[in-house]
Amino acid sequence: MSTNGNGTILTVKDLRTYFNTEDGVVKAVDGISFDLKKGETLGIVGESGSGKSVTNLSVMRLIPEPPGKIVNGDIIFNGIDVRALSIDEVRKIRGKRIAMIFQDPMTSLNPFLKISTQLMEVTKLHLGHSKAEAREHAIKMLETVGIPDAESRVDGYPHEFSGGMRQRVMIAMALSCDPELLIADEPTTALDVTIQAQILELIKSLKSRMGTSVILITHDLGVVAGMTDKIIVMYAGKVFEQAPTGELFSTPANPYTKGLLRSVPDPAHEQGAPLYQIPGLPPDVARLPPGCPFAERCDRAEDICTREYPPFVQINEHHHSLCHFAEEVYAESQQERAVSTV
């Protein structure tokens, strides 16, 4: 596995992915930049429609054209310019070196094909396995992800597996070729809490064992708390805050991030008291208002917020926030943290 000099496996710079619709141009991803190092886990969080999944579909070159198009930006994977590759060249990387666990395994798995057929196809294509080798490897991968009696279950169909087991099959498929980068798009959606914990622990243990870099996409900040090294908070196609995980949770520098953190249920929450939710709805990215996209929902917005687009403020070397009042919000978070630890 090769990386550049500083260990960076993926660099995304000023990525812009737009969709032409009847309502106009939807700027689903509008200027995203980040780096990911070998063995590192990046969390991308935000409400539905913030651009999380489109960002990673762009990295995989899975944006349907038309109506979508990557209009600008660099996607550099291990020194390879992904945007410059032909479709055939991308297919050699996709599934082998970069793998993705999709949000809904029932729609990602072919209901008419046995699990064995779908798992074997990956290694026959990318690793040159014979039919016997591919079947043996498929059984081994099902065992790796914790599916009992893998040798007999490998010939089952997707509908014969529970939601959690189907998700494990998707993980087995994604990890079949020992990818250097694993993208997990809402891997625990629609699963009960116990299975969620098992799936996350499985990804975590496989990552530590194989040294795989991971991008974890979710709308749930609770999920990324113990899983990631750093977090990107997205809103309206933009990066609103970017920081190491511990720092983002302890001292957020953006009102939107603070709202998301307040929305996480607290076990000590008083029974019967209403849970916090951010007021209003995310904006229509085809008709974004002038100024800050979050201004109408923000409890500390001032006139400048509705007039002028906010700057991307550097709080420290690894912490940035898209807000006119980022430094003030960060200082408030520091004070709140100091009070809570007294």
Side-chain angles (χ1 to χ4, degrees), residues 18-94:
Y18 298 169
F19 291 83
N20 289 307
T21 72
E22 292 178 357
D23 295 328
V25 177
V26 173
K27 297 179 178 180
V29 171
D30 198 20
I32 301 298
S33 299
F34 63 86
D35 290 324
L36 182 67
K37 289 184 168 54
K38 182 190 174 199
E40 197 171 48
T41 299
L42 168 70
I44 302 182
V45 301
E47 293 169 290
S48 296
S50 61
K52 307 184 300 296
S53 294
V54 174
T55 296
N56 290 285
L57 289 172
S58 299
V59 170
M60 295 280 285
R61 290 274 305 271
L62 287 172
I63 297 297
E65 296 187 26
K69 187 175 183 180
I70 301 172
V71 298
N72 189 66
D74 297 324
I75 304 167
I76 309 298
F77 172 69
N78 269 347
I80 300 168
D81 184 352
V82 176
R83 286 195 64 199
L85 298 179
S86 68
I87 292 299
D88 286 341
E89 289 170 329
V90 171
R91 284 179 181 147
K92 291 176 183 176
I93 292 177
R94 194 191 295 149

Side-chain angles (χ1 to χ4, degrees), residues 231-243:
I231 295 176
I232 288 173
V233 179
M234 288 190 67
Y235 186 79
K238 297 281 190 181
V239 173
F240 258 52
E241 188 161 8
Q242 189 168 349

Side-chain angles (χ1 to χ4, degrees), residues 46-334:
E47 293 169 290
S48 296
S50 61
K52 307 184 300 296
S53 294
V54 174
T55 296
N56 290 285
L57 289 172
S58 299
V59 170
M60 295 280 285
R61 290 274 305 271
L62 287 172
I63 297 297
E65 296 187 26
K69 187 175 183 180
I70 301 172
V71 298
N72 189 66
D74 297 324
I75 304 167
I76 309 298
F77 172 69
N78 269 347
I80 300 168
D81 184 352
V82 176
R83 286 195 64 199
L85 298 179
S86 68
I87 292 299
D88 286 341
E89 289 170 329
V90 171
R91 284 179 181 147
K92 291 176 183 176
I93 292 177
R94 194 191 295 149
K96 182 179 182 182
R97 300 182 66 187
I98 306 176
M100 190 164 184
I101 304 169
F102 292 94
Q103 189 166 340
D104 183 0
M106 201 57 203
T107 57
S108 302
L109 293 169
N110 190 323
F112 299 105
L113 296 178
K114 293 177 181 179
I115 295 298
S116 56
T117 303
Q118 299 183 61
L119 282 169
M120 289 163 63
E121 181 182 29
V122 177
T123 55
K124 285 198 288 187
L125 176 66
H126 290 301
L127 302 181
H129 279 179
S130 67
K131 187 175 180 180
E133 288 171 334
R135 182 179 175 80
E136 185 181 339
H137 190 76
I139 294 168
K140 178 187 167 188
M141 290 309 301
L142 291 185
E143 290 171 344
T144 301
V145 298
I147 291 182
D149 196 17
E151 195 162 352
S152 61
R153 299 214 68 185
V154 73
D155 289 318
Y157 288 89
H159 72 271
E160 297 175 305
F161 289 70
S162 68
M165 287 296 178
R166 284 195 296 267
Q167 195 62 286
R168 287 170 187 263
V169 171
M170 286 296 299
I171 294 171
M173 191 179 296
L175 294 173
S176 285
C177 300
D178 290 344
E180 296 153 56
L181 171 61
L182 176 65
I183 300 172
D185 188 357
E186 305 264 13
T188 59
T189 296
L191 300 179
D192 64 60
V193 177
T194 306
I195 303 300
Q196 275 190 30
Q198 290 176 3
I199 295 294
L200 292 174
E201 190 56 41
L202 175 62
I203 294 173
K204 201 172 179 179
S205 65
L206 291 171
K207 173 211 160 187
S208 62
R209 199 160 73 236
M210 297 178 178
T212 307
S213 302
V214 178
I215 297 177
L216 179 62
I217 308 165
T218 180
H219 60 271
D220 187 347
L221 273 165
V223 167
V224 296
M227 285 282 295
T228 59
D229 300 298
K230 58 187 180 184
I231 295 176
I232 288 173
V233 179
M234 288 190 67
Y235 186 79
K238 297 281 190 181
V239 173
F240 258 52
E241 188 161 8
Q242 189 168 349
T245 301
E247 185 168 340
L248 186 121
F249 274 82
S250 64
T251 47
N254 194 288
Y256 178 57
T257 306
K258 293 190 80 168
L260 289 177
L261 289 168
R262 284 184 65 192
S263 302
V264 177
D266 184 349
H269 187 79
E270 186 180 338
Q271 188 173 1
L275 293 169
Y276 176 80
Q277 63 180 17
I278 300 172
L281 296 169
D284 180 352
V285 287
R287 297 184 180 84
L288 286 174
C292 176
F294 187 61
E296 289 187 6
R297 308 173 70 193
C298 184
D299 58 8
R300 65 166 299 146
E302 298 185 16
D303 287 344
I304 190 173
C305 301
T306 56
R307 289 196 323 266
E308 296 180 21
Y309 194 80
F312 199 48
V313 178
Q314 181 170 351
I315 305 298
N316 58 46
E317 185 184 357
H318 302 292
H319 195 164
H320 297 77
S321 174
L322 189 76
C323 181
H324 288 289
F325 305 105
E327 291 175 344
E328 290 92 327
V329 175
Y330 182 71
E332 289 167 10
S333 296
Q334 286 180 312

